[in-house]
Amino acid sequence: MTDFGFQLFSARSVSSLPAFLGHLAGLGYAHVEGFGDAYADPRTFRAALDASGLTMPSGHFALQDLQEDFAGCAHVASVLGVTTLVAPWLDEAERPTDKDGYKDLARTLSTLRDRCANAGFGFAWHNHAFEVAPLRDGARGLDVLLNEVPDLLWEADLAWVVRGGADPDLWLDRYADRITALHVKDLAADGDNAGQDGWADLGTGIIDWPHLITRVRREADSALMIAEHDNPVSPADFATGAIAAFRDWTSA
């Protein structure tokens, strides 16, 4: 069975992320993905990781931080054992609106990819819905980024692809070989789970995860599998149900 991971952003509401690591390890998770709250005291957090037996092979780092303090990001990543740095987000005001704008962003990402490679890290882009939606000139941002930066890795969030009105299989047809990590996240039916921003616990939503996981395992067999819920009612309950669902889907 493929090792399963947990994106710690899904547990940002818990009183202590280091303490939560023990809960994840007890459930059988093998690794976690970091984000800003885990980086305040990286040595202490690394000690908590080691005590729990978990690793952190990937971590989200804000694009602005990577541009303005790459050395600081690299230091945090090195302490925590992160091998792939992931740029996860653009604020709405910063998002390109046409192909040329995404080409400009691609040049920024190409520079960061080179800096990561020179420092011994992989570098990936994590998508949301806006990169797969058609722009005013008909282009799609994720196409531009992955085509303009051939060595850019993709952390695929296929639930956001579906939420953006696109077919995840079509995106896997184009770019499955670029996937370094897969966010395994479920989407509620239209109008459901408003208190969870429309997301759902794994296995209770509309995403055909058994099919998509099978495809990614076949076409990107080294990709990390990472459970995520952007706004769970209970991070602990979500973590428990997510790994149970994943084991059921991958038991064959």
Side-chain angles (χ1 to χ4, degrees), residues 189-223:
D190 285 347
D192 290 348
N193 290 8
Q196 300 174 58
D197 299 331
W199 302 112
D201 285 350
L202 283 181
T204 69
I206 65 172
I207 306 293
D208 186 0
W209 276 116
H211 162 69
L212 293 174
I213 288 172
T214 297
R215 276 207 66 177
V216 173
R217 291 175 78 189
R218 182 176 67 244
E219 299 173 42
D221 62 353
S222 64

mmCIF file of all heavy atoms in Angstrom, residues 189-223:
data_model
loop_
_atom_site.group_PDB
_atom_site.id
_atom_site.type_symbol
_atom_site.label_atom_id
_atom_site.label_comp_id
_atom_site.label_asym_id
_atom_site.label_seq_id
_atom_site.Cartn_x
_atom_site.Cartn_y
_atom_site.Cartn_z
ATOM 1 N N ALA A 189 -21.556 17.694 -2.738
ATOM 2 C CA ALA A 189 -22.494 18.013 -3.809
ATOM 3 C C ALA A 189 -22.899 19.478 -3.721
ATOM 4 O O ALA A 189 -22.847 20.097 -2.646
ATOM 5 C CB ALA A 189 -23.721 17.114 -3.709
ATOM 6 N N ASP A 190 -23.290 20.046 -4.844
ATOM 7 C CA ASP A 190 -23.673 21.461 -4.888
ATOM 8 C C ASP A 190 -24.697 21.779 -3.799
ATOM 9 O O ASP A 190 -25.717 21.079 -3.665
ATOM 10 C CB ASP A 190 -24.270 21.809 -6.251
ATOM 11 C CG ASP A 190 -23.218 21.919 -7.339
ATOM 12 O OD1 ASP A 190 -22.027 21.963 -6.997
ATOM 13 O OD2 ASP A 190 -23.599 21.956 -8.529
ATOM 14 N N GLY A 191 -24.400 22.809 -3.027
ATOM 15 C CA GLY A 191 -25.307 23.255 -1.981
ATOM 16 C C GLY A 191 -25.107 22.589 -0.639
ATOM 17 O O GLY A 191 -25.681 23.046 0.369
ATOM 18 N N ASP A 192 -24.317 21.523 -0.576
ATOM 19 C CA ASP A 192 -24.088 20.815 0.684
ATOM 20 C C ASP A 192 -22.846 21.345 1.399
ATOM 21 O O ASP A 192 -21.943 21.919 0.779
ATOM 22 C CB ASP A 192 -23.920 19.315 0.437
ATOM 23 C CG ASP A 192 -25.197 18.633 0.013
ATOM 24 O OD1 ASP A 192 -26.265 19.274 0.122
ATOM 25 O OD2 ASP A 192 -25.129 17.473 -0.429
ATOM 26 N N ASN A 193 -22.803 21.134 2.703
ATOM 27 C CA ASN A 193 -21.630 21.418 3.537
ATOM 28 C C ASN A 193 -21.172 22.869 3.433
ATOM 29 O O ASN A 193 -19.964 23.151 3.355
ATOM 30 C CB ASN A 193 -20.471 20.485 3.184
ATOM 31 C CG ASN A 193 -20.708 19.047 3.598
ATOM 32 O OD1 ASN A 193 -21.806 18.692 4.026
ATOM 33 N ND2 ASN A 193 -19.699 18.209 3.478
ATOM 34 N N ALA A 194 -22.132 23.784 3.482
ATOM 35 C CA ALA A 194 -21.757 25.200 3.413
ATOM 36 C C ALA A 194 -20.843 25.590 4.553
ATOM 37 O O ALA A 194 -19.944 26.422 4.391
ATOM 38 C CB ALA A 194 -23.020 26.069 3.426
ATOM 39 N N GLY A 195 -21.033 24.985 5.720
ATOM 40 C CA GLY A 195 -20.179 25.286 6.860
ATOM 41 C C GLY A 195 -18.759 24.784 6.713
ATOM 42 O O GLY A 195 -17.879 25.174 7.482
ATOM 43 N N GLN A 196 -18.529 23.930 5.741
ATOM 44 C CA GLN A 196 -17.180 23.433 5.427
ATOM 45 C C GLN A 196 -16.705 23.992 4.082
ATOM 46 O O GLN A 196 -15.826 23.413 3.448
ATOM 47 C CB GLN A 196 -17.174 21.899 5.390
ATOM 48 C CG GLN A 196 -17.588 21.252 6.687
ATOM 49 C CD GLN A 196 -17.703 19.747 6.565
ATOM 50 O OE1 GLN A 196 -16.739 19.044 6.209
ATOM 51 N NE2 GLN A 196 -18.882 19.212 6.846
ATOM 52 N N ASP A 197 -17.268 25.106 3.672
ATOM 53 C CA ASP A 197 -16.916 25.758 2.409
ATOM 54 C C ASP A 197 -17.133 24.853 1.207
ATOM 55 O O ASP A 197 -16.468 25.003 0.172
ATOM 56 C CB ASP A 197 -15.467 26.246 2.437
ATOM 57 C CG ASP A 197 -15.216 27.274 3.540
ATOM 58 O OD1 ASP A 197 -16.164 27.992 3.900
ATOM 59 O OD2 ASP A 197 -14.079 27.327 4.049
ATOM 60 N N GLY A 198 -18.074 23.917 1.338
ATOM 61 C CA GLY A 198 -18.384 23.041 0.219
ATOM 62 C C GLY A 198 -17.519 21.803 0.102
ATOM 63 O O GLY A 198 -17.713 20.999 -0.815
ATOM 64 N N TRP A 199 -16.582 21.609 1.023
ATOM 65 C CA TRP A 199 -15.739 20.415 1.005
ATOM 66 C C TRP A 199 -16.401 19.299 1.790
ATOM 67 O O TRP A 199 -17.398 19.513 2.484
ATOM 68 C CB TRP A 199 -14.359 20.731 1.569
ATOM 69 C CG TRP A 199 -13.661 21.824 0.831
ATOM 70 C CD1 TRP A 199 -13.377 23.069 1.298
ATOM 71 C CD2 TRP A 199 -13.178 21.794 -0.514
ATOM 72 N NE1 TRP A 199 -12.749 23.821 0.329
ATOM 73 C CE2 TRP A 199 -12.617 23.062 -0.799
ATOM 74 C CE3 TRP A 199 -13.179 20.822 -1.514
ATOM 75 C CZ2 TRP A 199 -12.059 23.374 -2.025
ATOM 76 C CZ3 TRP A 199 -12.624 21.131 -2.749
ATOM 77 C CH2 TRP A 199 -12.066 22.396 -2.993
ATOM 78 N N ALA A 200 -15.831 18.098 1.711
ATOM 79 C CA ALA A 200 -16.413 16.949 2.394
ATOM 80 C C ALA A 200 -15.304 16.043 2.905
ATOM 81 O O ALA A 200 -14.179 16.048 2.393
ATOM 82 C CB ALA A 200 -17.318 16.165 1.439
ATOM 83 N N ASP A 201 -15.632 15.264 3.936
ATOM 84 C CA ASP A 201 -14.692 14.247 4.379
ATOM 85 C C ASP A 201 -14.487 13.234 3.257
ATOM 86 O O ASP A 201 -15.411 12.959 2.462
ATOM 87 C CB ASP A 201 -15.206 13.541 5.628
ATOM 88 C CG ASP A 201 -15.079 14.401 6.882
ATOM 89 O OD1 ASP A 201 -14.434 15.466 6.818
ATOM 90 O OD2 ASP A 201 -15.624 13.997 7.931
ATOM 91 N N LEU A 202 -13.296 12.656 3.194
ATOM 92 C CA LEU A 202 -12.992 11.712 2.124
ATOM 93 C C LEU A 202 -13.982 10.550 2.121
ATOM 94 O O LEU A 202 -14.305 9.980 3.168
ATOM 95 C CB LEU A 202 -11.571 11.171 2.276
ATOM 96 C CG LEU A 202 -10.450 12.106 1.851
ATOM 97 C CD1 LEU A 202 -9.095 11.428 2.023
ATOM 98 C CD2 LEU A 202 -10.616 12.562 0.410
ATOM 99 N N GLY A 203 -14.457 10.233 0.933
ATOM 100 C CA GLY A 203 -15.392 9.132 0.783
ATOM 101 C C GLY A 203 -16.840 9.515 0.929
ATOM 102 O O GLY A 203 -17.732 8.683 0.690
ATOM 103 N N THR A 204 -17.124 10.767 1.305
ATOM 104 C CA THR A 204 -18.511 11.202 1.462
ATOM 105 C C THR A 204 -18.920 12.202 0.391
ATOM 106 O O THR A 204 -20.071 12.654 0.392
ATOM 107 C CB THR A 204 -18.732 11.833 2.850
ATOM 108 O OG1 THR A 204 -18.033 13.091 2.929
ATOM 109 C CG2 THR A 204 -18.245 10.908 3.958
ATOM 110 N N GLY A 205 -18.011 12.557 -0.498
ATOM 111 C CA GLY A 205 -18.289 13.562 -1.511
ATOM 112 C C GLY A 205 -18.483 12.969 -2.887
ATOM 113 O O GLY A 205 -18.804 11.786 -3.042
ATOM 114 N N ILE A 206 -18.228 13.786 -3.905
ATOM 115 C CA ILE A 206 -18.558 13.408 -5.281
ATOM 116 C C ILE A 206 -17.351 12.997 -6.112
ATOM 117 O O ILE A 206 -17.509 12.558 -7.252
ATOM 118 C CB ILE A 206 -19.289 14.564 -5.995
ATOM 119 C CG1 ILE A 206 -18.353 15.778 -6.152
ATOM 120 C CG2 ILE A 206 -20.571 14.939 -5.248
ATOM 121 C CD1 ILE A 206 -18.928 16.884 -7.021
ATOM 122 N N ILE A 207 -16.142 13.116 -5.569
ATOM 123 C CA ILE A 207 -14.945 12.793 -6.353
ATOM 124 C C ILE A 207 -14.754 11.280 -6.434
ATOM 125 O O ILE A 207 -14.855 10.578 -5.422
ATOM 126 C CB ILE A 207 -13.695 13.439 -5.719
ATOM 127 C CG1 ILE A 207 -13.887 14.942 -5.517
ATOM 128 C CG2 ILE A 207 -12.459 13.161 -6.582
ATOM 129 C CD1 ILE A 207 -13.986 15.744 -6.773
ATOM 130 N N ASP A 208 -14.465 10.777 -7.626
ATOM 131 C CA ASP A 208 -14.226 9.349 -7.823
ATOM 132 C C ASP A 208 -12.767 9.038 -7.489
ATOM 133 O O ASP A 208 -11.931 8.804 -8.377
ATOM 134 C CB ASP A 208 -14.554 8.950 -9.265
ATOM 135 C CG ASP A 208 -14.454 7.444 -9.491
ATOM 136 O OD1 ASP A 208 -14.133 6.709 -8.538
ATOM 137 O OD2 ASP A 208 -14.689 7.013 -10.648
ATOM 138 N N TRP A 209 -12.466 9.008 -6.193
ATOM 139 C CA TRP A 209 -11.076 8.838 -5.786
ATOM 140 C C TRP A 209 -10.501 7.452 -6.088
ATOM 141 O O TRP A 209 -9.316 7.348 -6.425
ATOM 142 C CB TRP A 209 -10.903 9.208 -4.312
ATOM 143 C CG TRP A 209 -10.712 10.682 -4.162
ATOM 144 C CD1 TRP A 209 -11.524 11.571 -3.519
ATOM 145 C CD2 TRP A 209 -9.633 11.459 -4.707
ATOM 146 N NE1 TRP A 209 -11.021 12.846 -3.629
ATOM 147 C CE2 TRP A 209 -9.867 12.801 -4.353
ATOM 148 C CE3 TRP A 209 -8.509 11.155 -5.469
ATOM 149 C CZ2 TRP A 209 -9.013 13.830 -4.740
ATOM 150 C CZ3 TRP A 209 -7.655 12.174 -5.855
ATOM 151 C CH2 TRP A 209 -7.917 13.490 -5.486
ATOM 152 N N PRO A 210 -11.251 6.373 -5.972
ATOM 153 C CA PRO A 210 -10.646 5.084 -6.347
ATOM 154 C C PRO A 210 -10.085 5.099 -7.766
ATOM 155 O O PRO A 210 -8.978 4.593 -8.016
ATOM 156 C CB PRO A 210 -11.817 4.104 -6.189
ATOM 157 C CG PRO A 210 -12.672 4.717 -5.127
ATOM 158 C CD PRO A 210 -12.589 6.200 -5.382
ATOM 159 N N HIS A 211 -10.814 5.696 -8.686
ATOM 160 C CA HIS A 211 -10.346 5.781 -10.075
ATOM 161 C C HIS A 211 -9.124 6.699 -10.193
ATOM 162 O O HIS A 211 -8.115 6.335 -10.827
ATOM 163 C CB HIS A 211 -11.475 6.303 -10.965
ATOM 164 C CG HIS A 211 -11.015 6.817 -12.287
ATOM 165 N ND1 HIS A 211 -10.508 5.993 -13.276
ATOM 166 C CD2 HIS A 211 -10.953 8.084 -12.787
ATOM 167 C CE1 HIS A 211 -10.174 6.717 -14.325
ATOM 168 N NE2 HIS A 211 -10.425 7.988 -14.061
ATOM 169 N N LEU A 212 -9.196 7.882 -9.592
ATOM 170 C CA LEU A 212 -8.113 8.843 -9.755
ATOM 171 C C LEU A 212 -6.830 8.369 -9.078
ATOM 172 O O LEU A 212 -5.734 8.533 -9.614
ATOM 173 C CB LEU A 212 -8.542 10.200 -9.204
ATOM 174 C CG LEU A 212 -9.674 10.887 -9.978
ATOM 175 C CD1 LEU A 212 -10.123 12.155 -9.252
ATOM 176 C CD2 LEU A 212 -9.247 11.209 -11.406
ATOM 177 N N ILE A 213 -6.952 7.776 -7.896
ATOM 178 C CA ILE A 213 -5.763 7.253 -7.220
ATOM 179 C C ILE A 213 -5.129 6.142 -8.049
ATOM 180 O O ILE A 213 -3.899 6.065 -8.182
ATOM 181 C CB ILE A 213 -6.119 6.763 -5.804
ATOM 182 C CG1 ILE A 213 -6.394 7.965 -4.888
ATOM 183 C CG2 ILE A 213 -5.003 5.905 -5.221
ATOM 184 C CD1 ILE A 213 -6.947 7.592 -3.532
ATOM 185 N N THR A 214 -5.952 5.274 -8.616
ATOM 186 C CA THR A 214 -5.413 4.208 -9.463
ATOM 187 C C THR A 214 -4.632 4.784 -10.637
ATOM 188 O O THR A 214 -3.532 4.316 -10.967
ATOM 189 C CB THR A 214 -6.547 3.314 -9.976
ATOM 190 O OG1 THR A 214 -7.186 2.681 -8.863
ATOM 191 C CG2 THR A 214 -6.022 2.244 -10.922
ATOM 192 N N ARG A 215 -5.174 5.820 -11.267
ATOM 193 C CA ARG A 215 -4.483 6.451 -12.392
ATOM 194 C C ARG A 215 -3.149 7.048 -11.948
ATOM 195 O O ARG A 215 -2.120 6.853 -12.608
ATOM 196 C CB ARG A 215 -5.345 7.552 -13.005
ATOM 197 C CG ARG A 215 -6.349 7.079 -14.002
ATOM 198 C CD ARG A 215 -6.680 8.178 -15.005
ATOM 199 N NE ARG A 215 -5.542 8.531 -15.854
ATOM 200 C CZ ARG A 215 -5.594 9.412 -16.847
ATOM 201 N NH1 ARG A 215 -6.733 10.047 -17.105
ATOM 202 N NH2 ARG A 215 -4.533 9.683 -17.573
ATOM 203 N N VAL A 216 -3.163 7.793 -10.856
ATOM 204 C CA VAL A 216 -1.931 8.461 -10.430
ATOM 205 C C VAL A 216 -0.897 7.438 -9.987
ATOM 206 O O VAL A 216 0.300 7.579 -10.296
ATOM 207 C CB VAL A 216 -2.236 9.484 -9.318
ATOM 208 C CG1 VAL A 216 -0.944 10.054 -8.745
ATOM 209 C CG2 VAL A 216 -3.111 10.616 -9.865
ATOM 210 N N ARG A 217 -1.324 6.396 -9.290
ATOM 211 C CA ARG A 217 -0.366 5.360 -8.879
ATOM 212 C C ARG A 217 0.259 4.687 -10.101
ATOM 213 O O ARG A 217 1.424 4.296 -10.071
ATOM 214 C CB ARG A 217 -1.057 4.317 -8.003
ATOM 215 C CG ARG A 217 -1.472 4.840 -6.634
ATOM 216 C CD ARG A 217 -2.254 3.800 -5.865
ATOM 217 N NE ARG A 217 -1.377 2.798 -5.282
ATOM 218 C CZ ARG A 217 -1.805 1.686 -4.697
ATOM 219 N NH1 ARG A 217 -3.093 1.430 -4.641
ATOM 220 N NH2 ARG A 217 -0.958 0.830 -4.164
ATOM 221 N N ARG A 218 -0.505 4.565 -11.172
ATOM 222 C CA ARG A 218 0.002 3.918 -12.395
ATOM 223 C C ARG A 218 0.912 4.840 -13.192
ATOM 224 O O ARG A 218 1.927 4.409 -13.747
ATOM 225 C CB ARG A 218 -1.176 3.464 -13.258
ATOM 226 C CG ARG A 218 -0.768 2.737 -14.534
ATOM 227 C CD ARG A 218 -1.976 2.232 -15.303
ATOM 228 N NE ARG A 218 -2.782 3.320 -15.843
ATOM 229 C CZ ARG A 218 -4.038 3.565 -15.480
ATOM 230 N NH1 ARG A 218 -4.635 2.815 -14.564
ATOM 231 N NH2 ARG A 218 -4.702 4.566 -16.034
ATOM 232 N N GLU A 219 0.560 6.123 -13.247
ATOM 233 C CA GLU A 219 1.244 7.044 -14.155
ATOM 234 C C GLU A 219 2.253 7.948 -13.458
ATOM 235 O O GLU A 219 3.076 8.581 -14.125
ATOM 236 C CB GLU A 219 0.191 7.884 -14.885
ATOM 237 C CG GLU A 219 -0.749 7.030 -15.720
ATOM 238 C CD GLU A 219 -1.908 7.802 -16.315
ATOM 239 O OE1 GLU A 219 -1.662 8.933 -16.789
ATOM 240 O OE2 GLU A 219 -3.048 7.294 -16.320
ATOM 241 N N ALA A 220 2.190 8.026 -12.141
ATOM 242 C CA ALA A 220 3.165 8.813 -11.371
ATOM 243 C C ALA A 220 3.398 8.071 -10.068
ATOM 244 O O ALA A 220 3.026 8.534 -8.985
ATOM 245 C CB ALA A 220 2.637 10.228 -11.115
ATOM 246 N N ASP A 221 4.044 6.905 -10.172
ATOM 247 C CA ASP A 221 4.057 5.974 -9.049
ATOM 248 C C ASP A 221 4.859 6.450 -7.847
ATOM 249 O O ASP A 221 4.719 5.899 -6.757
ATOM 250 C CB ASP A 221 4.543 4.593 -9.491
ATOM 251 C CG ASP A 221 5.967 4.582 -10.031
ATOM 252 O OD1 ASP A 221 6.557 5.679 -10.193
ATOM 253 O OD2 ASP A 221 6.495 3.496 -10.304
ATOM 254 N N SER A 222 5.682 7.487 -8.009
ATOM 255 C CA SER A 222 6.441 7.999 -6.867
ATOM 256 C C SER A 222 5.763 9.186 -6.196
ATOM 257 O O SER A 222 6.296 9.745 -5.232
ATOM 258 C CB SER A 222 7.850 8.401 -7.306
ATOM 259 O OG SER A 222 7.802 9.473 -8.245
ATOM 260 N N ALA A 223 4.583 9.573 -6.683
ATOM 261 C CA ALA A 223 3.903 10.747 -6.135
ATOM 262 C C ALA A 223 3.455 10.505 -4.702
ATOM 263 O O ALA A 223 2.965 9.431 -4.348
ATOM 264 C CB ALA A 223 2.691 11.106 -6.993
#
